[in-house]
C-alpha cells in the first residue's frame, strides 16, 4: 500500500488530500497541487492529488468553501478553482484519457441533493452553480446515475445545529467519471460513518474490468515508498493495532504492551 499526500497548513486555513493505492495499482505518475502553472494560488492549498493508474487518471479534490453568506469571502477563489479543475480534467479527457474525479465539491448538484428545509437556489450564487453544472456536462455523477430517484441521501450535515440527528443535510461529495468509465462501474454507495469520525459520510465506488499499470514499474517520485518517514522499519506496523489480544495476561507469555515480561509460574 502506497500513499500520495498533499497537505497545507497556514494561519487559520487547513486543507489536505491523499490518494492510497495498492501495490498492484501503484500509479505510474503522481502530481499534487497541479491545476495551474505551479505559482498560481489554486496550487497552494493542498487541495489536489492526481495519480495516473494507466487505464484511468484519478483526481482527488477538496474544493474550497466560499465562506458564509452573504459575504462569501472566498467565492472568487472557489470559482477560479472550479474553472481550473474543469480545464485540467477536460484536457486529459480530450487527450484520450479516462478521468475519475472524487472528493468534496462544497456544492449540491440539484435541489434533490439538499434537505427539504434548505433551498439550493439561495445557498449558491448563479455563477457557482453554472460552473459546477458545466463540469457535470462533461463528467457523469456516478452515484446519481445509479440512484436517479433517491432523496434524503446526504454526505454532510451541519455539526453546529445537530442536523445529522434529523438527517437535514446536503450531498456535496462526488465521484465524477468520463462517460467511458461508466461501463466499469459495479456500484457506488454512500455509507454512514459514526458521527465522531467525521461530519461527512463515506462514498464508496467499485470498478471492474480495468487493467492495472504494468507490473514491476518503479514507484513514482511522490510515492510514500520513496519517503523515508513512511519506511522506518523501527516503527510499529499498523497490523499491531488489528491483532486480537488475549482475554487476560495470564493466557500468554507476554503481557500486553510488554514483549519481555514473562508469565509468572
Amino acid at each position: 500500500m502506497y500513499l500520495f499526500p498533499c497537505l497545507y497548513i497556514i494561519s487559520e486555513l487547513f486543507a489536505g488530500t491523499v490518494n492510497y493505492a495498492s501495490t498492484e495499482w501503484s500509479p505510474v505518475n503522481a502530481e499534487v497541487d497541479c491545476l495551474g502553472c505551479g505559482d498560481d494560488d489554486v496550487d497552494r492549498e493542498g487541495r489536489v492529488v492526481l495519480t495516473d493508474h494507466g487505464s484511468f487518471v484519478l483526481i482527488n479534490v477538496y474544493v474550497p468553501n466560499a465562506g458564509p453568506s452573504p459575504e462569501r469571502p472566498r467565492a472568487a477563489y472557489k470559482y477560479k478553482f472550479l474553472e481550473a479543475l474543469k480545464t485540467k480534467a477536460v484536457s486529459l479527457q480530450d487527450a484520450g484519457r479516462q478521468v475519475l474525479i472524487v472528493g468534496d465539491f462544497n456544492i449540491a448538484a440539484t435541489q434533490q441533493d439538499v434537505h427539504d428545509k434548505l433551498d439550493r437556489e439561495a445557498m449558491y450564487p448563479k455563477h457557482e452553480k453554472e460552473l459546477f453544472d458545466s463540469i457535470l456536462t462533461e463528467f457523469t455523477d456516478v452515484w446519481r446515475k445509479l440512484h436517479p430517484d433517491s432523496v434524503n441521501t446526504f454526505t454532510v450535515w451541519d455539526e453546529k445545529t445537530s442536523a445529522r440527528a434529523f438527517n437535514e443535510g446536503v450531498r456535496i461529495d462526488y465521484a465524477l467519471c468520463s462517460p467511458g468509465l461508466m461501463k466499469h462501474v459495479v456500484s457506488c454507495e454512500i455509507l454512514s460513518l459514526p458521527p465522531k469520525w467525521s461530519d461527512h459520510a463515506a462514498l464508496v465506488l467499485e470498478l471492474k474490468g480495468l487493467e492495472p499499470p504494468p507490473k514491476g514499474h518503479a514507484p513514482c517520485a511522490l510515492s510514500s515508498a520513496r519517503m523515508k518517514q513512511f519506511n522506518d522499519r523501527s516503527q510499529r506496523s499498523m497490523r499491531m493495532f488489528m491483532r486480537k489480544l488475549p482475554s487476560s495476561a495470564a493466557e500468554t507469555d507476554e503481557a500486553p504492551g510488554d514483549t519481555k515480561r514473562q508469565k509468572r509460574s
Side-chain angles (χ1 to χ4, degrees), residues 45-56:
E45 294 196 3
R47 294 183 178 275
V48 181
V49 177
L50 182 154
T51 46
D52 185 343
H53 300 274
S55 53
F56 68 96

Side-chain angles (χ1 to χ4, degrees), residues 131-219:
L131 283 172
F132 190 46
D133 288 345
S134 72
I135 293 175
L136 293 178
T137 62
E138 297 284 348
F139 301 93
T140 303
D141 177 354
V142 180
W143 185 87
R144 179 55 70 193
K145 183 74 172 179
L146 299 181
H147 307 84
D149 301 319
S150 181
V151 295
N152 296 320
T153 303
F154 310 120
T155 63
V156 71
W157 301 261
D158 187 347
E159 295 288 281
K160 297 178 182 178
T161 61
S162 300
R164 192 168 195 160
F166 306 98
N167 195 34
E168 297 173 0
V170 294
R171 185 175 72 96
I172 61 174
D173 300 88
Y174 301 89
L176 310 179
C177 75
S178 297
L181 276 179
M182 277 304 301
K183 63 184 178 183
H184 296 285
V185 173
V186 175
S187 64
C188 186
E189 301 297 337
I190 295 171
L191 305 182
S192 180
L193 295 175
K196 290 185 178 180
W197 286 18
S198 174
D199 57 337
H200 286 253
L203 180 65
V204 180
L205 171 67
E206 182 181 358
L207 304 171
K208 71 174 182 180
L210 292 166
E211 286 293 324
K215 292 182 179 180
H217 73 84

Side-chain angles (χ1 to χ4, degrees), residues 14-88:
F14 177 89
T17 46
V18 61
N19 289 359
Y20 289 85
S22 66
T23 302
E24 180 184 15
W25 284 95
S26 176
V28 295
N29 185 47
E31 302 175 58
V32 298
D33 280 339
C34 53
L35 297 186
C37 62
D39 295 327
D40 202 293
D41 56 359
V42 296
D43 290 335
R44 293 178 184 171
E45 294 196 3
R47 294 183 178 275
V48 181
V49 177
L50 182 154
T51 46
D52 185 343
H53 300 274
S55 53
F56 68 96
V57 177
L58 174 63
I59 307 176
N60 184 2
V61 300
Y62 178 18
V63 175
N65 189 319
S69 297
E71 296 84 4
R72 296 181 64 82
R74 305 203 81 202
Y77 178 71
K78 184 175 185 178
Y79 302 160
K80 188 174 183 179
F81 187 95
L82 288 171
E83 290 169 350
L85 173 61
K86 180 184 176 182
T87 298
K88 182 74 170 183

